[in-house]
Amino acid sequence: MARGQRKTIEVKIAEKEEVIESLKTRLKAEQRELDELYKEKRDVDLKMLHEVLAEANMSASDAADVIKGYLQNQESQEEYHEGQE
């Protein structure tokens, strides 16, 4: 059975380079799509948060203060529990 002519190493290298360039292009497109999805999610999250703040008649600054207080309380509780051990 006759075999076809074998590819030279140069041809194999060129083909691999083409495949890699194609994959890089696709990867860039996929990354742009992913970035857009993250942006959409952030916008949805911000809209939801804005609605909750408006419903509670709170400013972003008020909410930040509440969250900071919560975090400080959590840290204090952890320190207390660590001291109990």
Side-chain angles (χ1 to χ4, degrees):
M1 183 165 10
R3 292 173 66 178
Q5 191 174 16
R6 297 185 100 186
K7 295 180 183 178
T8 66
I9 191 71
E10 289 81 11
V11 171
K12 288 179 182 180
I13 289 170
E15 288 175 349
K16 240 359 132 177
E17 287 174 342
E18 285 179 33
V19 168
I20 289 170
E21 284 306 311
S22 174
L23 289 171
K24 285 180 181 179
T25 301
R26 173 142 186 235
L27 184 60
K28 285 179 186 176
E30 294 293 337
Q31 186 64 53
R32 279 192 301 271
E33 225 176 288
L34 179 59
D35 292 344
E36 185 60 33
L37 289 170
Y38 279 132
K39 183 183 180 305
E40 269 183 59
K41 182 183 182 319
R42 186 183 68 234
D43 291 347
V44 167
D45 289 347
L46 286 173
K47 182 180 178 189
M48 181 182 64
L49 185 56
H50 176 76
E51 289 171 359
V52 169
L53 290 174
E55 188 176 309
N57 198 28
M58 290 180 74
S59 69
S61 178
D62 293 338
D65 291 341
V66 169
I67 293 169
K68 286 176 187 174
Y70 172 81
L71 292 174
Q72 288 174 348
N73 186 37
Q74 290 296 105
E75 288 177 7
S76 295
Q77 286 183 5
E78 287 176 10
E79 289 172 2
Y80 174 77
H81 288 296
E82 287 174 0
Q84 295 291 317
E85 294 174 359

